Amino acid sequence: MTELKQTPLHALHCRLGAKMVPFAGYEMPVQYPLGVKKEHEHTRRQCGLFDVSHMGQVVVSGDNVAEELETLIPADLVGLAEGAQRYGLLTSSEGGILDDLMVVNAGDHFYLVVNAACKEQDIAHLQAHLGDRLTIEPLDRGLLALQGPSAHLVMQRICPAACEMVFMQHGRFQVADQEVWISRSGYTGEDGFEISVAADATEAFAERLLSEPEVEAIGLGARDSLRLEAGLCLYGHDMDTMTTPVEAGLIWAISKPRRHGGDRPGGFPGADLILHQVDTKDHTRKRVGLVAEGRQPVREGATLLTENGSEVGMVTSGGFGPSVGKPVAMGYVARDLEAPGTTVYAEVRGKRLPMTVTKTPFVTANYYRG
């Protein structure tokens, strides 16, 4: 059995009484004594601090770095301004999704944040395709996410200049004697900041944030329910190598300059299939939001049926949404059932529970746009 890795905050999690579980090869906090539901509600109401140091952080540098990255990512990176961040996808030659990631133009290099479970294969993918022309440098840094409506109040006390940024901007700041890299973004649907810190300074920085009255430590359990309510995909669940960006409802991640008729169409793995689907909507299934009545959650893996019992899809993420007050889920259905208001039935423990196809997000996004 492979030994689990630990983040720079492992000792702090233990001191805070976290329940630790294996996740993406790391020992991670799933919840603290407050409990998942209260952690979720606290983040929506005030501010939560998440340890996301298991994520992969990578610096990519060299000549024509934006153009080179565009050969793997179907986003407009050439047009990405310095200090801006963009959501991107790594696609396969078959048109599937290898991973989703954040891409920052940091001036003399690009800074990528990739998913923990995919980071080794992502780095190998970058090396294989770009390593002869660019420098691919994995970083050993901590990563914290400060999320919630009070996040800007907390950040105002610690790094006021970061509060001048709007959603999807990134900056480098001096806090005490540390350079911290801060992006105004997150995975909860709330305003917030993602903060990259030197590994040996991460615990002290986290304790500084936790000393603020609005902030509670939040585990992976609430992180999952928050991102689900926000309608945000989880790699390996709501998207994978067998799913195209169009099927996943991520057509917006294929930037217009990279589509047919744009300045730099195609040129990324799987472009022929993906752009065909963009142009023609010629695909058989679509990711949708689903809401159930009552209190019983519908979990990942539940089969979706029509009223007459025909199988038409599957739930890929699901649970009870504390802020919605109902069970919510995401999944894939046949194209003729994707319209909001359509009823499908989830098979749960031998029962068929009606679910209504719904637009996502399930809660209003509160990103700060200025």
Side-chain angles (χ1 to χ4, degrees), residues 95-235:
I97 302 172
L98 298 175
D99 198 9
D100 64 336
L101 69 163
M102 287 295 186
V103 184
V104 170
N105 180 351
D108 63 349
H109 66 270
F110 272 57
Y111 165 60
L112 314 181
V113 179
V114 303
N115 281 302
C118 303
K119 63 183 176 183
E120 290 180 5
Q121 68 192 41
D122 288 353
I123 291 165
H125 183 70
L126 291 166
Q127 287 282 12
H129 290 274
L130 305 177
D132 60 338
R133 303 183 298 282
L134 300 178
T135 301
I136 316 296
E137 181 190 358
L139 303 178
D140 180 21
R141 293 176 67 87
L143 191 63
L144 307 171
L146 185 70
Q147 299 284 294
S150 299
H152 72 288
L153 297 176
V154 174
M155 190 59 73
Q156 190 72 44
R157 300 171 199 140
I158 293 170
C159 182
C163 296
E164 297 174 13
M165 296 191 298
V166 297
F167 182 56
M168 296 297 271
Q169 286 188 328
H170 175 95
R172 308 286 165 96
F173 304 92
Q174 209 62 31
V175 179
D177 59 346
Q178 287 292 326
E179 183 184 66
V180 295
W181 305 357
I182 303 178
S183 298
R184 196 153 194 174
S185 57
Y187 195 47
T188 62
E190 299 293 338
D191 183 24
F193 303 87
E194 294 182 308
I195 308 159
S196 176
V197 190
D200 60 2
T202 307
E203 183 173 336
F205 200 93
E207 289 183 317
R208 171 73 181 85
L209 291 168
L210 288 167
S211 71
E212 297 298 325
E214 298 90 348
V215 183
E216 288 282 355
I218 310 296
L220 292 175
R223 180 171 162 83
D224 192 54
S225 58
L226 288 158
R227 71 90 193 166
L228 175 58
E229 288 187 340
L232 300 172
C233 291
L234 176 62
Y235 189 79

Side-chain angles (χ1 to χ4, degrees), residues 296-298 301-303 305 345-354:
Q296 184 171 349
V298 179
T303 301
L305 309 166
Y345 296 83
E347 194 161 49
V348 179
R349 297 176 187 169
K351 296 181 180 179
R352 292 182 180 175
L353 304 180

